[in-house]
Amino acid sequence: MMRTRPLKVALLGCGVVGSEVARIMTTHADDLAARIGAPVELAGVAVRRPGKVREGIDPALVTTDATALVKRGDIDVVVEVIGGIEPARTLITTAFEHGASVVSANKALLAQDGAALHAAAEEHGRDLYYEAAVAGAIPLIRPLRESLAGDKVNRVLGIVNGTTNFILDKMDSTGAGYQEALDEATALGYAEADPTADVEAFDAAAKAAILAGISFHTRVRLDDVYREGMTEVTAADFASAKEMGCTIKLLAICERAANGASVTARVHPAMIPLSHPLASVRGAYNAVFVESDAAGRLMFYGPGAGGSPTASAVLGDLVAVCRNRLNGATGPGESAYAALPVSPMGDVVTRYHISLDVADKPGVLAQVATVFAEHGVSIDTVRQQGKDGEASLVVVTHRASDASLNGTVEALRSLDTVRGVASIMRVEGE
């Protein structure tokens, strides 16, 4: 039997995602009511520019006073899609204090202050859902929080930023340089006018923090995530990758240590074998590979951004939160019981691809090999090309720690025969 009194929803933000949330709430109202067990009503929309025409939204619902909207007391669910740290943080905590549950797409805020937000939600007996904060429409947060809650997740490896994947895919498929590929991404609307958050991996790092925290039942903040952007990746790097049967992706990698005593979270460009499922993820798509004890290897794939895909995730959370509201219950909160330490990047062990500019003369290879051996880094393969007194030397290592590799590189730079280190890239996904 359906309840006749509607559940009231306040929408904070009415940009690309917010306007699509409002549209779906209106056009699919009957279906949403049937799925929830009660109608949902858009009770207010907080915006910065009230004079803008918003098709399908009653102008009487529009306000610039977001604080007054979340304080009304009759609001059941607040949907926050304004992004950023403030005023979003204050608005969300105020919503909890005044009896509303919250659905958010705010990855930056959750990565920085997720623990405090979860605590506020628990204190007031309300829900905090955020499927849309990571990988757009791809169902990922809920499977990690709920479907795999009885399993032990050991590794999460994924492409979680569509802009950077589009750029790297374009460089790979056409031979374009970084700037040329970025210009095309900007022209097509995949990259913002200021692409820093994407190409310097701030966006992906925030998502990695959220994924690591959920996967390992441990509080992982944005500051705990090692971050390396992809602006230095070159066409020459792709050429080297192809010679190894690899391509290059910007990866978010969250891992539990082999002994289970710590975790790591990092985002950086990496070579991955063409045989790995993530290698075939093209364009602006996202994909996340999850490895667990019982379920084994799972892959989640789909559009990771955009108005409609992200709104789909928001509406899925809205339905879940409204159902909880009707039943007088709340969904899963923060699970941080494991409280595992986050290891520094220096402890991370992986393979490396190092390209050196060296003098083209006898004995260079022996000198380089000696430096690797002295630092405990085992060499897998070496490739050398030389002409007119100059040469390039490409070394692929076996697995080594980041700290030992850094020490090796510093020692290599001190050799008279090494002109420079052209590139260093990790090799993942084996």
Side-chain angles (χ1 to χ4, degrees), residues 102-114:
V102 173
V103 172
S104 177
N106 196 331
K107 54 189 168 286
L109 178 58
L110 288 159
Q112 178 171 306
D113 290 318

Side-chain angles (χ1 to χ4, degrees), residues 361-372 374 412 415-418:
K361 62 182 183 180
V364 173
L365 180 56
Q367 287 184 331
V368 169
T370 298
V371 169
F372 275 88
E374 288 173 347
L412 288 171
L415 295 177
D416 292 338
T417 51
V418 175

Side-chain angles (χ1 to χ4, degrees), residues 80-81 83-86 88-89 92 96 102-119 121 127-134 141 145 203 205-214 218-225 317 333-334:
E80 183 271 310
V81 288
I85 306 302
E86 288 291 358
R89 174 171 48 198
I92 289 174
F96 291 141
V102 173
V103 172
S104 177
N106 196 331
K107 54 189 168 286
L109 178 58
L110 288 159
Q112 178 171 306
D113 290 318
L117 296 179
H118 275 293
D127 274 323
L128 174 62
Y129 275 54
Y130 42 91
E131 184 68 63
V134 180
I141 299 297
R145 288 175 93 180
D203 174 86
K207 295 170 182 175
I210 295 170
L211 291 174
I214 296 171
T218 291
R219 287 178 178 169
V220 179
R221 299 181 74 249
L222 181 58
D223 292 345
D224 295 322
V225 181
D317 279 351
E334 183 189 32

Side-chain angles (χ1 to χ4, degrees), residues 3 37 125 172 179 315 363 373 407:
R3 193 183 81 165
D172 184 30
Q179 190 61 50
L315 267 296

Side-chain angles (χ1 to χ4, degrees), residues 18 21 23 36 56-57 74 119 121 123 151 168 176 183 213 217 219 256 262 288 290 295 308 336 351-353 397 408:
V21 169
R23 184 191 69 78
I36 292 168
I57 297 177
D74 64 335
E123 178 185 353
D151 204 344
L168 292 172
D183 290 344
H217 306 280
R219 287 178 178 169
R256 187 190 300 268
S262 64
V288 178
V290 178
S308 293
R351 296 177 67 206
Y352 290 87
H353 176 283
T397 74
T408 303

Side-chain angles (χ1 to χ4, degrees), residues 2 28-40 319 323 326:
M2 184 176 294
H28 295 181
D30 291 343
D31 286 338
L32 290 173
R35 295 166 192 168
I36 292 168
V40 287
V319 169
R323 286 172 175 168
L326 287 180

Side-chain angles (χ1 to χ4, degrees), residues 15-24 27-28 132 135-138 303-316:
V16 173
V17 176
S19 59
E20 191 66 8
V21 169
R23 184 191 69 78
I24 295 173
T27 58
H28 295 181
I138 303 172
S308 293
T310 306
S312 171
V314 170
L315 267 296

Side-chain angles (χ1 to χ4, degrees), residues 113-408:
D113 290 318
L117 296 179
H118 275 293
E122 183 176 359
E123 178 185 353
H124 297 285
R126 293 296 177 251
D127 274 323
L128 174 62
Y129 275 54
Y130 42 91
E131 184 68 63
V134 180
I138 303 172
L140 183 59
I141 299 297
R142 192 171 287 114
L144 288 170
R145 288 175 93 180
E146 300 177 31
S147 303
L148 295 174
D151 204 344
K152 179 184 177 183
V153 175
N154 296 308
R155 194 173 196 235
V156 178
L157 173 77
I159 298 164
V160 295
N161 183 279
T163 299
T164 53
N165 198 58
F166 177 89
I167 293 170
L168 292 172
D169 182 41
K170 185 61 62 173
M171 293 174 69
D172 184 30
S173 60
T174 68
Y178 165 74
Q179 190 61 50
E180 182 183 352
L182 172 60
D183 290 344
E184 182 171 350
T186 304
L188 292 172
Y190 292 123
E192 301 287 345
D194 179 1
T196 302
D198 293 324
V199 300
E200 293 294 353
F202 290 101
D203 174 86
K207 295 170 182 175
I210 295 170
L211 291 174
I214 296 171
S215 300
F216 308 133
H217 306 280
T218 291
R219 287 178 178 169
V220 179
R221 299 181 74 249
L222 181 58
D223 292 345
D224 295 322
V225 181
Y226 172 82
R227 176 190 57 79
E228 183 181 320
M230 42 79 70
T231 58
E232 300 300 318
V233 177
T234 66
D237 291 327
F238 274 101
S240 293
K242 287 182 179 179
E243 290 180 357
M244 290 179 58
C246 292
T247 188
I248 299 171
K249 299 290 185 182
L250 183 74
L251 298 179
I253 305 170
C254 311
E255 292 179 303
R256 187 190 300 268
N259 62 6
S262 64
V263 299
T264 58
R266 51 196 166 101
V267 176
H268 53 71
M271 294 181 180
I272 59 172
L274 294 176
S275 58
H276 194 281
L278 291 178
S280 61
V281 178
R282 310 302 296 270
Y285 273 69
N286 284 190
V288 178
F289 215 71
V290 178
E291 300 174 10
S292 68
D293 275 1
R297 308 174 88 190
L298 307 171
M299 183 168 168
F300 300 84
Y301 170 83
S308 293
T310 306
S312 171
V314 170
L315 267 296
D317 279 351
L318 179 63
V319 169
V321 170
C322 285
R323 286 172 175 168
N324 291 343
R325 192 83 170 187
L326 287 180
N327 294 325
T330 56
E334 183 189 32
S335 177
Y337 73 90
L340 296 171
V342 181
S343 295
M345 187 63 186
D347 293 346
V348 170
V349 175
T350 188
R351 296 177 67 206
Y352 290 87
H353 176 283
I354 306 104
S355 180
L356 304 172
D357 294 327
V358 299
D360 185 15
K361 62 182 183 180
V364 173
L365 180 56
Q367 287 184 331
V368 169
T370 298
V371 169
F372 275 88
E374 288 173 347
H375 288 81
V377 179
S378 175
I379 293 175
D380 182 16
T381 62
V382 178
R383 185 175 69 255
Q384 184 173 9
Q385 294 177 326
K387 186 178 180 181
D388 299 330
E390 297 296 330
S392 63
L393 191 65
V394 174
V395 178
V396 179
T397 74
H398 288 292
R399 292 175 64 82
S401 71
D402 192 75
S404 62
L405 193 283
N406 286 339
T408 303

